[in-house]
Amino acid sequence: MTEIPKAYDPAEVEGRIYDTWLEQGYFTPSSDPDRRPFVVIMPPPNVTGQLHLGHALTAAVEDVLCRWHRMMGDATLWLPGKDHAGIATQWVVEQQLAREGTSRQELGRERFVERVWEWVRDYGDAIDEQHKRLGASCDWSRLRFTLDPGPSRAVRTTFVDLYDRGLIYRGERIINWCPRCSTALSDLEVEHEERDGRLYYIRYPLASGDGHVVVATTRPETMLGDTGVAVHPEDPRYGELVGREVTLPIMGRPVPIVPDGAIDPQFGTGALKVTPGHDQVDFDIGRRHGLAVITVVGQDGSMTSEAGPYQGIERFEARDAVVARLEVEGLLERTEEYIHSVGHCQRCKTVVEPLVSTQWFMDVGKHDDAGSIAGRAYAAVDEGRVRVVPDRFTRVYLNWLENIRDWCISRQLWWGHRIPVWYCGDCGALIVRVEDPEGCAECGSGNLEQDPDVLDTWFSSGLWPHSTLGWPGDTDDMARFYPGEGFRPEDGGHDSFVMETGYDILFFWVARMIMLGLANTGREPFHTVFLHGLIRDTQGVKMSKTKGNVLDPLELIDEFGTDAMRFALTTGTAPGNDLRVGESKLEAGRNFANKLWNAARFVMTSLDGAEARYLEGWYDLRGVDHRQDRWILHRLNVTIGSVGDYLKAYELGEAQRVMYEFLWGEFCDWYIEMAKVRLRDGDGAPLRVLAHVLERTLRLLHPFMPYITEELWQALLQRLPVEGDPPASIMVAAYPVADPTHVDPQAEREMRALVQMVRAIRNARAQLRIPAAQFLEVAVEANALRDVVVQESPAIRTLARVEPLRIVDAAAEGPAGHSMTLVVDPLVVRLPLAGVVDVSAERNRLGKELEECRTNLGRVSGLLSNPKFSGRAPEEVVERERERLGSLQERERRLQEVLSQLAD
């Protein structure tokens, strides 16, 4: 029989238990065809990644769902994987090469790609091992990498199929360009930040010499590439100028004034310089009016030959030079301070340059075109075939699709899925094939060159739900674990296919998985999108290395244990809401784990050597008569029902809350303490109830705290007679389901009154600073609960530290002298204070406390009523003060109540 140590040591338990789970194959889904599937495809972390709290949160949430469904009997697949992370991985290896004094250009493409593969082989498994430390119950036998042969074939198949359908094309468009990464970026890979800038008002002389037009711009360096000036057709200020020309300052070329409805007459002067080569709006205006495209900023961020005298100058230095020249020539009318949004590369934070470039695009169509890629993805959510949890993100998703543009899918990188397109050097033919061609299909020439670009990382990630299951092959996994036709989430209320991820990649990844899943298979890749929030520090600030507020989950595991860290990450969470994590929350998680350990240790110590008759029937528990036992079984089953309902609604934080309140606030603080009284009196009846409740609670908690519950469950079952058909591990045991035969509202009402009475007596003792060792005399008017109070008097005496306990009639005379009366409907409790406390001194002390409380109350109330504070202070600071106000108001009420009892 396993001995239970006095203290829980996570480091001793976790590795041993995880290895056992792996050896037993518990993470592999059941092959029983009668079991319904439950599937979660892990968001593949970057192969460059080190585990951070965001990964830990994702793993904790997904593991809860998977362990719960596995215990519910579902064939549960949690498929792990890693993403090649094109820009991120290439950047890491380039930095490594720079430290060695070389570069990818010196190595050449082939040697550089091999170098990246070496790096992946050396470091790419680190995050898998870190996930294992978190207790992630993934099916590691199905581990996938986006550059594995299977997913790679899926990528090529998708590209070729969409190209053949006319949905992938090569064209010249305005794109986001990162000068540092030297690659195109999708709109989603650009982060916009508010920056302090200037608005420059520049005079463009009319070519006829009889006046000028003033335009306003934040980027005067791009005026060198202007090919027009646009005004709103209904702007009366410029009606007579439409069709005329202005002379472009510095460059001296004539450009036309054109009318266009896209112009905002309220911005600047209402006249817009049109630079089709460096702005999306300008590019569209230029196309409508046949304006030339001139590129004056190059891919390296320096000015091109089209910029005339500024060729070779860095773009922001050129800005200063252009402004200085305009001032000298008297063409800079004025400047104004101006706050505007500036796009930055998500990866390296370089300011993005809009450039016209030839790239590969996916034609996604419009959201209201039912046959387009975007239209089908829109309808899937709008019509309820895919639901988003929480629902408020449904509108966010639909709004993005309503404004979507064609997706630029090519990247000027060397690491990633190379575009499966070849160009014939002899006849110029373009060949698009899944397999590498041996020769030109048009002329037979072997002089072929593959397109140098790679695909956007999110292209391959968008195929993840079906590429990982073997698509385009007709595999068993695809047939069983990819949603079938005709299934709807409302059928039986069961969500078999869930995509769980952070709300920050709803567009990057989730929308594209839906688009590509429908395009390739004709079916939605999942039926529920469950979004969690971002992790912030205790002040509500997003964690970042630069702010120094990052917490390393591996260090937290070493300090607090995996279960405590996971419990902290999922405590107080709600779908889609950000959560705050700090030392106190982690300590609370560890304290809860210790509370569970100590309670279980008490139960098992009590079971050791117990007579067999006291343990018989512990599993099903029938014929329970004692009120305390009936009460705890009622509370257990109410808790089980609530937890099940919350899990079905994806309210993991609420499920965790009710478990915490039951285990700590009812089982440990009350039932165990009452059971101790009966056990000391020689009554062994509580033993089987203690065992039953602990065993059910361990199973209930297991998805949230897998290690400690497995360790305790194994030790508990060793001490109990075998009943039912116990499996070898808690993780494949049945998840508890509420037993209606144990629902007992009468026991609930009676025990609630007793608990509240004991709590009221304890609070009075604490308020009056009566030592715990000192017994108090108590007189109770029990009224309708007289029999209950009589029967439970041993527990009342022990838990409230009262002696004597007198049960009196309502008409009985109260105690002489000062006393305190506590009303706990229907009970009335009187505490004689004569000889117990110095009433006069207590009045003075409590009066001072009340005065101090009211001073603080006035200060906090004044602060919250100040609109400058409530309107300008961070939301989390305001909320903290509101909570403090509520606490002070409750303290004021309690102090007034006690003082009124001590009045002469």
Side-chain angles (χ1 to χ4, degrees), residues 824-862:
V824 183
D825 190 45
L827 305 174
V828 179
V829 182
R830 293 192 179 90
L831 309 180
L833 299 180
V836 177
V837 297
D838 184 333
V839 175
S840 178
E842 282 302 304
R843 276 202 302 263
N844 291 334
R845 180 181 67 80
L846 293 172
K848 291 177 181 178
E849 286 190 19
L850 180 59
E851 184 179 340
E852 181 184 354
C853 175
R854 284 173 171 165
T855 299
N856 291 331
L857 192 58
R859 186 185 63 78
V860 175
S861 181

Side-chain angles (χ1 to χ4, degrees), residues 241-281:
L241 297 179
V242 171
R244 297 178 64 180
E245 292 182 333
V246 295
T247 301
L248 184 64
I250 301 177
M251 304 304 288
R253 65 173 175 267
V255 299
I257 300 174
V258 298
D260 199 281
I263 304 305
D264 178 7
Q266 304 304 315
F267 175 77
T269 64
L272 178 77
K273 60 184 283 302
V274 182
T275 319
H278 295 284
D279 184 271
Q280 179 64 55
V281 172

Side-chain angles (χ1 to χ4, degrees), residues 804-834:
L805 170 63
R806 295 189 299 112
I807 303 168
V808 300
D809 295 328
E813 185 177 337
H818 283 287
S819 68
M820 180 176 288
T821 301
L822 310 173
V823 178
V824 183
D825 190 45
L827 305 174
V828 179
V829 182
R830 293 192 179 90
L831 309 180
L833 299 180

Side-chain angles (χ1 to χ4, degrees), residues 80-335:
K82 292 170 291 190
D83 195 300
H84 65 279
I87 294 178
T89 307
Q90 180 160 317
W91 173 232
V92 167
V93 177
E94 284 193 66
Q95 287 179 309
Q96 192 177 63
L97 292 175
R99 289 193 292 269
E100 297 172 8
T102 185
S103 67
R104 68 181 172 101
Q105 288 79 11
E106 289 185 18
L107 284 182
R109 183 167 192 152
E110 187 174 338
R111 289 179 59 202
F112 175 76
V113 170
E114 179 51 40
R115 182 65 180 268
V116 180
W117 272 112
E118 289 177 10
W119 189 94
V120 170
R121 284 190 286 269
D122 289 343
Y123 301 103
D125 293 338
I127 204 160
D128 297 334
E129 297 306 311
Q130 292 164 359
H131 268 110
K132 291 175 182 177
R133 286 203 66 187
L134 280 168
S137 58
C138 309
D139 183 358
W140 296 106
S141 69
R142 286 177 165 88
L143 177 66
R144 298 290 184 267
F145 181 44
T146 47
L147 287 175
D148 282 346
S152 294
R153 184 170 185 82
V155 166
R156 283 196 170 192
T157 301
T158 301
F159 185 97
V160 172
D161 178 60
L162 293 178
Y163 177 84
D164 289 344
R165 291 157 59 185
L167 296 174
I168 284 180
Y169 63 92
R170 192 168 186 246
E172 190 176 68
R173 297 284 188 278
I174 192 97
I175 51 93
N176 305 297
W177 182 268
C178 176
R180 199 227 62 81
C181 295
S182 297
T183 185
L185 305 172
S186 73
D187 291 344
L188 291 175
E189 292 169 307
V190 178
E191 294 181 342
H192 291 272
E193 297 178 7
E194 295 292 314
R195 288 287 183 90
D196 292 330
R198 302 199 71 79
L199 196 58
Y200 301 86
Y201 290 80
I202 306 170
R203 294 172 180 165
Y204 282 35
L206 291 168
S208 59
D210 57 347
H212 61 262
V213 174
V214 178
V215 301
T217 181
T218 58
R219 300 198 62 197
E221 72 278 9
T222 63
M223 64 163 287
L224 306 173
D226 286 2
T227 56
V229 171
V231 297
H232 195 280
E234 297 178 5
D235 192 333
R237 294 172 292 180
Y238 302 108
E240 295 181 359
L241 297 179
V242 171
R244 297 178 64 180
E245 292 182 333
V246 295
T247 301
L248 184 64
I250 301 177
M251 304 304 288
R253 65 173 175 267
V255 299
I257 300 174
V258 298
D260 199 281
I263 304 305
D264 178 7
Q266 304 304 315
F267 175 77
T269 64
L272 178 77
K273 60 184 283 302
V274 182
T275 319
H278 295 284
D279 184 271
Q280 179 64 55
V281 172
D282 293 12
F283 181 81
D284 294 339
I285 292 173
R287 286 212 156 185
R288 287 194 289 270
H289 297 279
L291 303 179
V293 176
I294 298 176
T295 301
V296 293
V297 180
Q299 294 184 350
D300 63 353
S302 298
M303 307 305 286
T304 69
S305 59
E306 296 282 5
Y310 305 99
Q311 180 180 357
I313 300 177
E314 194 276 331
R315 55 183 168 161
F316 298 120
E317 293 178 7
R319 176 179 299 176
D320 295 336
V322 167
V323 169
R325 173 84 174 267
L326 292 171
E327 285 185 300
V328 169
E329 295 185 2
L331 296 176
L332 185 64
E333 185 168 283
R334 69 182 190 277
T335 65

